[in-house]
Amino acid sequence: MRGVRPVDVVRRRHDTTLLRVDDDRYGSDVLSGDWRSRGVKKVRQVPLERDMVLEDPDSGWAGAVVGLEAGNVALEDWKGRTRSFPFTGQFLLEGELVTLTRPQAPVGRPAPGTAASGAAHADWRPGSAPAVRHGSDGGRLRTASGSFAVEQQRARVALPSRIMVEGKHDAELVEKVWGADLRVEGVVVEYLEGVDNLAEVLDEFRPTRDRRVGVLVDHLVPGSKESRFADAVMRGKWGAHVLVVGHPFVDVWQSVKPARLGLREWPVVPRSIEWKKGICQHLGWPHAEQADIARAWQRILGQVRTFADLEPQLLGRVEELIDFVTEPKG
């Protein structure tokens, strides 16, 4: 019979009654259904949003979404440089491979002095994460550090006090998360190119009660070289007007939560290997040249959106320094 399989209807032995059999002893057709996609991991689709941080997996370019034009997504990195990639391509979002769907709201940056729905920018500039409007706060803007943003206010003239950090990467991270807050307070961040230079820099700066210096040091743990330098400064002639604090991490890279890179924890690098190169090697990133290390940091920094992406051991120390250098004159 056309359309009826032989096993659909059988006759019982010694019985003229027909019996319907539901089970097909030969199984279903192995080529039926979507057999080509079996075993293939599906890539999640996410709507494109302004300021969503994406990474192009082929080039390693990471940046915030600043536009969508002619089928290309524009990504702006922490230096303010912009590159465009096909909207139909695949991207890394928080370490997960995704494809994009059409945005539900405009993704272009708002014009200066205007606010946009969902997110807006108070004194935004390349390098600092944009302020975001939260419905739970009655629609008020919060900066990347979690503070309420001060809207429509120009940056203050720089205070005489300073915050100093060890290196360029420290300065870029502080700028990205606390940049908007620091401009409102008028605080300038400088980097030392190594804690070894701290004493010399302080002698030149000559701190006073009204010209304080807050210093953020990497790997400030008992017995370390950094702790010895910090103790010497605090006991020295400028100690009354200087505050040296630090985090326990080998490098400021480690202050970024490993989950932002798809890791459970930061790899342990043997002492015989330069730490940053060891990290890149573990992650499968190029690390032969200094330019490779710089690009690796850009990828890590690109995953930082707000204070929530940083470890508390760094957050508390930076807030402490800001309070110290902005303390009202007594």
Side-chain angles (χ1 to χ4, degrees):
M1 292 182 293
R2 184 179 298 275
V4 179
R5 292 175 295 181
V7 294
D8 282 339
V9 180
V10 298
R11 189 181 300 277
R12 283 184 180 174
R13 180 181 269 183
H14 310 305
D15 193 349
T16 60
T17 306
L18 292 178
L19 175 66
R20 189 90 186 168
V21 179
D22 294 326
D23 293 331
D24 183 351
R25 62 178 176 172
Y26 295 108
S28 58
D29 185 353
V30 296
L31 298 182
S32 65
D34 189 12
W35 58 272
R36 290 183 177 85
S37 64
R38 291 174 186 170
V40 178
K41 184 178 179 181
K42 292 186 177 180
V43 177
R44 185 165 65 96
Q45 293 185 322
V46 296
L48 184 67
E49 297 179 4
R50 184 177 62 239
D51 297 319
M52 171 188 285
V53 177
L54 299 173
E55 178 181 340
D56 174 54
D58 294 328
S59 66
W61 182 277
V65 173
V66 295
L68 175 62
E69 186 175 358
N72 292 311
V73 180
L75 303 181
E76 183 177 80
D77 73 358
W78 60 273
K79 287 186 176 180
R81 301 173 302 183
T82 302
R83 284 184 61 180
S84 295
F85 300 89
F87 173 77
T88 55
Q90 294 183 334
F91 298 87
L92 290 172
L93 174 65
E94 300 183 12
E96 177 189 1
L97 194 65
V98 300
T99 57
L100 304 173
T101 60
R102 303 298 299 183
Q104 299 173 356
V107 297
R109 284 264 159 80
T114 65
S117 61
H121 308 269
D123 193 26
W124 187 90
R125 67 182 62 186
S128 61
V132 177
R133 196 178 300 279
H134 294 272
S136 59
D137 298 321
R140 293 185 65 184
L141 284 172
R142 283 189 180 272
T143 67
S145 71
S147 304
F148 285 117
V150 180
E151 301 185 63
Q152 308 302 325
Q153 176 174 321
R154 293 182 177 275
R156 290 178 56 184
V157 175
L159 295 175
S161 298
R162 294 286 186 270
I163 289 179
M164 297 182 181
V165 297
E166 273 206 60
K168 182 180 179 181
H169 294 177
D170 306 73
E172 289 168 350
L173 184 59
V174 169
E175 162 62 25
K176 182 157 192 179
V177 177
W178 287 274
D181 304 29
L182 294 171
R183 282 185 287 280
V184 169
E185 298 290 347
V187 176
V188 174
V189 177
E190 301 177 357
Y191 64 90
L192 298 164
E193 297 185 349
V195 71
D196 314 53
N197 301 319
L198 179 56
E200 180 180 347
V201 170
L202 292 177
D203 284 341
E204 182 178 348
F205 188 83
R206 304 183 67 81
T208 66
R209 173 63 183 82
D210 299 328
R211 283 169 50 86
R212 294 183 168 197
V213 175
V215 184
L216 179 67
V217 177
D218 297 341
H219 199 225
L220 192 62
V221 296
S224 67
K225 174 192 73 173
E226 291 80 4
S227 67
R228 292 192 293 272
F229 276 112
D231 291 343
V233 166
M234 296 301 289
R235 292 195 307 265
K237 58 184 176 181
W238 310 117
H241 310 301
V242 174
L243 175 63
V244 181
V245 300
H247 57 73
F249 308 115
V250 175
D251 189 273
V252 76
W253 288 22
Q254 268 188 311
S255 67
V256 178
K257 290 182 177 178
R260 297 297 300 143
L261 302 175
L263 303 171
R264 289 187 177 181
E265 58 184 10
W266 281 92
V268 177
V269 178
R271 289 181 176 271
S272 58
I273 300 176
E274 186 179 338
W275 190 83
K276 290 178 181 177
K277 289 187 176 181
I279 293 297
C280 292
Q281 184 176 3
H282 179 90
L283 295 173
W285 296 349
H287 55 278
E289 302 177 356
Q290 185 57 37
D292 295 328
I293 303 301
R295 282 189 288 268
W297 169 241
Q298 291 179 28
R299 296 178 71 171
I300 296 171
L301 186 63
Q303 297 302 314
V304 177
R305 304 158 301 180
T306 71
F307 72 97
D309 297 326
L310 303 179
E311 298 288 1
Q313 295 95 320
L314 175 71
L315 295 174
R317 304 293 74 75
V318 175
E319 297 288 349
E320 187 177 356
L321 291 178
I322 295 174
D323 289 344
F324 178 74
V325 299
T326 58
E327 182 181 328
K329 297 180 180 180

